[in-house]
Amino acid sequence: NAKKRQIENILYQRLDNRIKQLLQNIGKTGNELGFNMFVVGGFVRDLLLSRQIDDIDIVVEGDGIEFAKTYAKKEGCRINTYKKFGTAVIIYPDNFKIDVASARLEYYKTPAALPIVEKSSIKLDLARRDFTINTLAISLNPDNFGTMIDYFGANRDLKDKTIRTIHNLSFVEDPTRIFRAIKFSNRFGFKIGKVTSNLIKNAITIDCFKNLSGLRVLSELKQIFEEENPIPAIKTMESYGLEKVLHKDLTLIPNTYQLLESVNKILSWHDLLYMDEPYPRWAVYFMAMLNRCSYKVCEQICTRLNVPLRERGILLEKRYKAEKQLNLIESSSTYTKQELYWTLINFKTEYILYMMALVKDEEIKKAISNFYTHQRGIKPYIKGRDLLKLGLKPGPVFSAIIKQVLNAKLDGQLKTRKEEIQFAAAYAEKTNLLIKS
Ligand code: ATP
């Protein structure tokens, strides 16, 4: 009871009112349907670690879809259901989402007198999870709201700051968990338990990745690269020899780590200033990791990981283009501000940041950063229709004039729309482009 009160207190102290209310409503609605309701996994883990909570995962001992339908109706939400898996997503009008899964109550005929045994299926549901720290559940039904369920020693491992699997075949059963262990250990600053660490080594020794779909490894790798600072995780991966799972010739040398460190600095700078401008953060780390590889090795890594075509373009063709372009800029002493603009404007954020991490010359780095912060957003006020009004005939000349306007703007010569029109007219006159006259 004291424990229950303690968890209830944590729920009350750490959660905002909306989530608290929502959990209570979930418990009530489920209870009315005769289901046991739990909030599970990452939610409980992050709650106890006082970390920001992103997802709400609900497990229903009963029919999750029936619950989701009833709840959504009451609360005015939409739902997506996945019959085959007994799962649903409840979506609030403001797009806030709750994931619901079913853990059906299982009934077993016993040979003896008692006909049916009800097995606690939340336990089975939790037993399928990757690590002990992800196996916590909190009851939500009104009678036991706030009771914490810990079958696998999760509280002990959270206290010990340790990542442990639930059973010894865990990594053989699903080798992607090796990457997940490293991700969680890096994110929380936890160690990987000794037995668990040995299980990882054994799984790698028996070549557990041989039959694993590349796409699943890619997905876990991306998640690691999306962490705030993935470098310690990359080091841990290397300590287990996991880079060889990607390619036998992939080697991470001190230079690679230096580049990764500078990627990390650049991305922190960027993300602080441009929080609302998403870009594939993972790709910048990945490009840096592949920086020293030959094209052929990179290609084979992409094939091994089933990298989808578009992302293959990032890691192969476009990355090489960015590197080549940077070489040109660094080896030329006559690059003007405008030339730099017209070069860089063709590259998306991820490549610009990659170039900034790669560049050696501080002046060029400053120029690229200036392009990113000041110039890339500059757009001329003037449009095609202004040029029509000037009596110009539409055609390639339009973009040539707009380019000139932009160049003058980058130079700080033009401030207003009127100035731009005057400039365009003068330029057209000078170059004899007017149809009328
Ligand atoms: P994150 O904050 O990274 O989203 P999470 O714990 O919510 O962390 P998810 O990847 O969203 O992780 O997975 C949700 C739950 O599903 C986890 O709590 C985990 O226990 C379980 N899970 C995910 N992948 C696996 C796996 N490969 N094997 C076993 N359980 C898994």
Side-chain angles (χ1 to χ4, degrees):
N1 252 357
K3 188 88 193 158
K4 176 171 178 279
R5 225 170 299 123
Q6 192 191 338
I7 298 301
E8 255 184 287
N9 281 342
I10 293 178
L11 284 171
Y12 284 115
Q13 281 160 12
R14 306 239 173 103
L15 297 176
D16 65 42
N17 282 334
R18 179 185 188 181
I19 309 275
K20 258 181 310 202
Q21 191 61 52
L22 204 139
L23 292 179
Q24 278 168 343
N25 293 349
I26 289 173
K28 250 190 236 156
T29 305
N31 204 55
E32 283 159 19
L33 294 167
F35 301 151
N36 293 325
M37 306 296 296
F38 306 90
V39 60
V40 300
F43 178 97
V44 188
R45 177 198 70 210
D46 291 343
L47 182 77
L48 295 182
L49 290 175
S50 300
R51 292 179 63 95
Q52 192 196 316
I53 288 167
D54 298 319
D55 309 308
I56 298 191
D57 285 313
I58 300 292
V59 171
V60 181
E61 270 185 343
D63 185 342
I65 293 183
E66 189 189 344
F67 161 77
K69 282 183 181 158
T70 315
Y71 183 83
K73 207 167 174 187
K74 264 193 189 170
E75 300 270 322
C77 306
R78 288 184 294 128
I79 51 167
N80 290 334
T81 57
Y82 308 90
K83 270 220 171 79
K84 198 172 145 199
F85 304 105
T87 60
V89 184
I90 301 174
I91 307 156
Y92 275 84
D94 67 354
N95 238 4
F96 184 82
K97 295 188 182 89
I98 303 172
D99 283 317
V100 179
S102 309
R104 285 176 181 282
L105 282 176
E106 295 180 20
Y107 296 93
Y108 292 88
K109 284 219 159 70
T110 55
L114 291 169
I116 283 168
V117 175
E118 195 179 281
K119 193 150 182 175
S120 161
S121 61
I122 182 73
K123 184 169 180 181
L124 290 179
D125 188 276
L126 298 171
R128 282 201 305 264
R129 286 165 196 260
D130 43 8
F131 306 109
T132 57
I133 57 164
N134 289 333
T135 60
L136 285 168
I138 295 175
S139 289
L140 299 178
N141 292 61
D143 280 351
N144 46 17
F145 187 85
T147 302
M148 177 136 72
I149 292 164
D150 180 6
Y151 289 116
F152 304 99
N155 274 301
R156 172 203 64 205
D157 291 342
L158 282 175
K159 251 192 227 116
D160 292 352
K161 298 181 181 296
T162 307
I163 308 290
R164 283 200 184 96
T165 53
I166 296 166
H167 62 89
N168 288 352
L169 288 175
S170 195
F171 296 120
V172 177
E173 205 173 87
D174 180 358
T176 57
R177 290 175 185 160
I178 296 176
F179 290 95
R180 293 177 61 80
I182 294 169
K183 173 181 79 177
F184 288 126
S185 135
N186 180 39
R187 185 191 298 171
F188 304 134
F190 282 18
K191 55 192 173 298
I192 297 176
K194 200 151 191 305
V195 173
T196 300
S197 183
N198 284 331
L199 293 173
I200 292 180
K201 289 177 196 156
N202 289 343
I204 294 174
T205 310
I206 62 163
D207 208 3
C208 62
F209 288 101
K210 203 169 55 198
N211 298 317
L212 190 72
S213 109
L215 213 52
R216 290 201 59 213
V217 177
L218 177 67
S219 153
E220 293 301 333
L221 258 185
K222 278 184 184 174
Q223 286 181 40
I224 288 178
F225 289 147
E226 287 285 342
E227 294 285 312
E228 200 173 307
N229 177 9
I231 298 170
I234 297 172
K235 284 188 182 144
T236 311
M237 285 197 280
E238 194 198 4
S239 75
Y240 286 115
L242 280 172
E243 77 284 9
K244 303 293 180 210
V245 170
L246 307 189
H247 198 287
K248 63 176 182 12
D249 294 340
L250 178 61
T251 323
L252 306 179
I253 57 173
N255 274 341
T256 320
Y257 282 108
Q258 265 168 24
L259 180 57
L260 286 165
E261 291 290 351
S262 86
V263 164
N264 199 49
K265 268 198 208 115
I266 299 289
L267 299 198
S268 308
W269 163 81
H270 175 271
D271 296 355
L272 203 66
L273 287 174
Y274 303 97
M275 250 180 257
D276 304 327
E277 292 185 31
Y279 64 97
R281 199 182 144 84
W282 64 268
V284 193
Y285 286 107
F286 211 157
M287 289 192 267
M289 204 162 114
L290 298 179
N291 174 261
R292 299 238 145 204
C293 296
S294 69
Y295 189 89
K296 195 166 157 229
V297 168
C298 290
E299 213 173 16
Q300 287 168 347
I301 291 176
C302 286
T303 305
R304 166 67 186 103
L305 297 181
N306 299 112
V307 177
L309 217 56
R310 204 184 52 78
E311 296 178 347
R312 226 180 143 91
I314 302 183
L315 298 177
L316 291 171
E317 282 76 19
K318 291 188 208 141
R319 171 170 71 85
Y320 281 111
K321 241 185 220 162
E323 287 171 4
K324 218 165 99 194
Q325 206 48 258
L326 185 66
N327 274 338
L328 281 177
I329 299 170
E330 284 200 291
S331 57
S332 153
S333 52
T334 57
Y335 239 82
T336 64
K337 219 170 165 185
Q338 276 103 339
E339 280 170 326
L340 192 70
Y341 173 90
W342 291 107
T343 303
L344 296 181
I345 200 72
N346 299 312
F347 289 99
K348 287 194 186 155
T349 299
E350 52 275 29
Y351 309 106
I352 302 284
L353 298 177
Y354 178 54
M355 287 189 226
M356 283 177 74
L358 267 178
V359 72
K360 300 213 170 50
D361 185 311
E362 276 304 314
E363 283 303 309
I364 298 175
K365 187 173 180 174
K366 252 191 231 153
I368 301 178
S369 146
N370 182 53
F371 159 80
Y372 194 82
T373 48
H374 295 112
Q375 296 182 325
R376 96 194 136 111
I378 297 179
K379 303 254 173 340
Y381 296 114
I382 196 168
K383 296 260 164 16
R385 78 178 100 85
D386 298 306
L387 300 181
L388 279 175
K389 269 195 214 150
L390 284 177
L392 290 167
K393 202 168 139 207
V397 72
F398 270 37
S399 47
I401 294 180
I402 289 189
K403 187 169 173 177
Q404 289 307 323
V405 170
L406 197 54
N407 271 340
K409 238 183 128 119
L410 290 170
D411 240 8
Q413 293 175 37
L414 306 175
K415 296 265 182 298
T416 64
R417 183 162 175 271
K418 203 167 151 198
E419 282 170 0
E420 287 183 17
I421 293 174
Q422 279 166 355
F423 178 92
Y427 180 80
E429 181 110 24
K430 197 171 72 191
T431 48
N432 245 345
L433 295 166
L434 291 175
I435 333 165
K436 285 176 196 164
S437 63

